[in-house]
């Protein structure tokens, strides 16, 4: 909540607000802030112990520095229980209504700075979602327990274009937020929270200007949080909480209420918040399955002589690239004994991906994971007579987003050895050559001008696509208002660009525990597209099939709502039946209305659909269909 005072003067002295000369202590929920809080540190307490005795002094310094700027805004430290006065200690998480210890000083409000609506998706990890019911429950509980501020993280999903994503995080970011990656309404989250906010707003005067009363126990897992007007001890607003996994009937102020499982009913109207559900679908609108549509360019593999940066050991990846590229080549040359024909290459790397080549031929790849970036590549290869060239392509998949001593972390290969029949040869401290980036990157062959610098070839007819290959095609845009995405199913790992602009890293070959790619569909904003002649260029690291790529239209194709007897709303002791409202996305319209059942259907909204329950009335169903309208 944020706001101001119309026609008055507001200042903040670090401990309280001064409104028109009158000091107002910042008790939780008592007044609006004149300006939104600003954060000086975020979740530092999670890494503070790693810095030993230097950890706490930093927090004190940061607080004094921020307050000393005299900006006139409240300062916040998220998940920092010992935030020094007057800096506000705030909560981040999913269940702050239950987990937050509260302000560490009586003149600070309770604020929830990150209410996670889902979680970002990591390559190779199953998605971690969050239901609308769970979000709404904990928001209502937070307000009931005198919380004064809730900030959704994220309320609007987005896209990590280019190389913006952090380590192992997908291009699609918080797509399950109330507004999805494309900006479309995600039901039921959006509508559920909208109704919740409306219900809370009905009690806003009491919450802001009244006082919290002692909570009442209504049952083993049921309780009521009450708020009274300043002039009266009588309850003006209440939150009836049911933490049980089943519906429960309770008596509150001489009235009976049915509380749904894991729910909070908000008085004065004891509204049970429900909303419609929608289904988002991607429809193929263009296929790139003709080989004559595509051209390719094979990225050259550099040898030791091709590198300009020489060293006597393996250099750290990110310090060498300065974050100008995901890619760093490491190369060296050696001459084995004439009798050697086979050997084994062993490379230990601290992240994230490694591709190995011997004499320009790929011999193996390996990668880490979101939870453990380090790995070891071991692969057998054939030796040539004379000089052999070993080239290692180290690949970063985003920079780390948290942790202590980020500046001291090392990435890339740290130990290299070759085993043959004579024994093991250690090449860790050896004469190495390094080269930052790929030739295609440096020449920007993914742009209109850069693509003309090199000689593209026809798409190879081989069933096995070679690694480190660039693919190029041109396509025309379709429609004007629809959202579009590129389906990269069939590709394995790399980066896709449209008209020179990256739509993100892709990695369909890294499968989640559920046996699915983490992401195959990639958002293409309309601002990236031209009416005709759009240049699509992909860098494929492992070897994929560009003929399987499709352009998709992203649409909401169905909306669904349901009503039950328990969805009645109470008004002054009477009940009003729940009305189901269905609403299309902008520029959409309803073409058909289907009733699953008029009785006790099983199932829910979405692709699973409904099934007739143990009690059904076909005649009533027909009557409902007859009078429905949109």
């Amino acid at each position: 909540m944020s706001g101001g005072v119309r026609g008055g003067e507001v200042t903040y002295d670090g401990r309280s607000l001064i409104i028109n000369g009158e000091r107002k202590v910042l008790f939780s929920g008592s007044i609006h802030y004149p300006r939104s809080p600003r954060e000086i540190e975020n979740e530092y307490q999670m890494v503070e112990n790693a810095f030993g005795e230097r950890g706490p002094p930093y927090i004190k310094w940061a607080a004094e520095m921020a307050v000393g700027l005299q900006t006139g805004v409240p300062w916040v430290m998220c998940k920092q229980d010992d935030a020094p006065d007057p800096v506000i200690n705030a909560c981040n998480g999913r269940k702050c209504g239950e987990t937050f210890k509260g302000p560490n000083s009586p003149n600070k409000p309770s604020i929830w700075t990150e209410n996670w609506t889902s979680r970002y998706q990591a390559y190779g990890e199953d998605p971690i979602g969050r239901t609308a019911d769970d979000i709404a429950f904990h928001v209502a509980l937070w307000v009931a327990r005198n919380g004064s501020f809730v900030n959704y993280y994220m309320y609007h999903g987005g896209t990590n274009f280019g190389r913006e994503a952090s380590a192992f995080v997908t291009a699609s970011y918080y797509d399950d937020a109330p507004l999805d990656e494309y900006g479309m309404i995600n039901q039921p989250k959006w509508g559920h929270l909208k109704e919740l906010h409306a219900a809370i707003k009905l009690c806003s005067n009491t919450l802001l200007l009244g006082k919290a009363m002692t909570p009442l126990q209504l049952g083993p897992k049921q309780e009521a949080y009450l708020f009274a007007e300043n002039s009266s001890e009588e309850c003006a607003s209440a939150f009836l909480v049911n933490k049980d996994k089943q519906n429960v009937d309770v008596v509150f102020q001489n009235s009976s209420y049915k509380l749904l499982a894991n729910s909070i009913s908000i008085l004065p109207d004891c509204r049970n918040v429900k909303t419609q559900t929608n289904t988002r679908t991607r429809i193929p609108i263009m296929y790139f399955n003709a080989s004559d549509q595509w051209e390719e360019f094979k990225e050259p593999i550099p040898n030791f002589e091709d590198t300009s940066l020489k060293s006597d050991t393996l250099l750290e990846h990110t310090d060498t690239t300065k974050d100008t590229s995901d890619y760093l080549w490491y190369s060296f040359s050696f001459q084995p004994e004439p009798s050697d024909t086979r050997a084994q290459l062993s490379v230990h790397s601290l992240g994230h991906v490694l591709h190995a080549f011997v004499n320009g031929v790929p011999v193996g790849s390996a990668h880490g994971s979101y939870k453990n970036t380090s790995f070891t590549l071991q692969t057998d290869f054939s030796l040539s007579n004379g000089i052999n060239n070993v080239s290692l392509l180290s690949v970063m998949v985003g920079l780390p987003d948290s942790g202590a001593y980020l500046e001291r972390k090392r990435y890339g290969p740290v130990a290299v050895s070759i085993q043959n029949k004579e024994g093991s040869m250690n090449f860790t401290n050896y004469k190495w050559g390094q080269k930052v980036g790929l030739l295609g990157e440096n020449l920007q062959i993914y742009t209109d001008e850069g693509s003309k610098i090199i000689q593209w070839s026809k798409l190879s007819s081989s069933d096995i696509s070679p690694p480190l290959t660039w693919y190029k095609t041109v396509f025309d845009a379709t429609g004007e208002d629809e959202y579009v995405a590129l389906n990269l199913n069939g590709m394995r790992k790399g980066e896709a660009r449209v008209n020179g602009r990256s739509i993100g890293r892709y990695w369909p070959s890294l499968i989640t525990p559920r046996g699915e790619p983490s992401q195959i569909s990639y958002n293409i904003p309309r601002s990236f597209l031209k009416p005709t002649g759009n240049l699509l260029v992909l860098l494929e690291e492992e070897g994929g099939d560009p003929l399987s790529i499709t352009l998709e239209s992203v649409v909401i194709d169905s909306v669904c709502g349901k009503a039950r007897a328990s969805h009645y709303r109470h008004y002054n002791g009477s009940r009003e039946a729940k009305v189901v409202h269905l609403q299309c996305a902008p520029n959409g319209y309803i073409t058909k209305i289907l009733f699953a059942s008029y009785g006790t259907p099983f199932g829910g909204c979405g692709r699973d659909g409904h099934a007739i329950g143990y009690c059904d009335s076909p005649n009533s169903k027909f009557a409902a269909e007859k009078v429905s309208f949109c």
Side-chain angles (χ1 to χ4, degrees), residues 587-605:
N587 301 320
Y589 54 91
I590 296 176
T591 59
K592 182 186 296 185
I593 298 178
L594 300 176
F595 284 82
S597 172
Y598 196 89
T600 57
F602 294 107
C605 294

Side-chain angles (χ1 to χ4, degrees), residues 208-226:
L208 292 172
L209 303 176
K211 66 176 182 178
M213 301 170 63
T214 303
L216 298 178
Q217 201 68 31
L218 304 179
K221 297 183 178 180
Q222 296 77 38
E223 53 193 357
Y225 291 87
L226 296 74

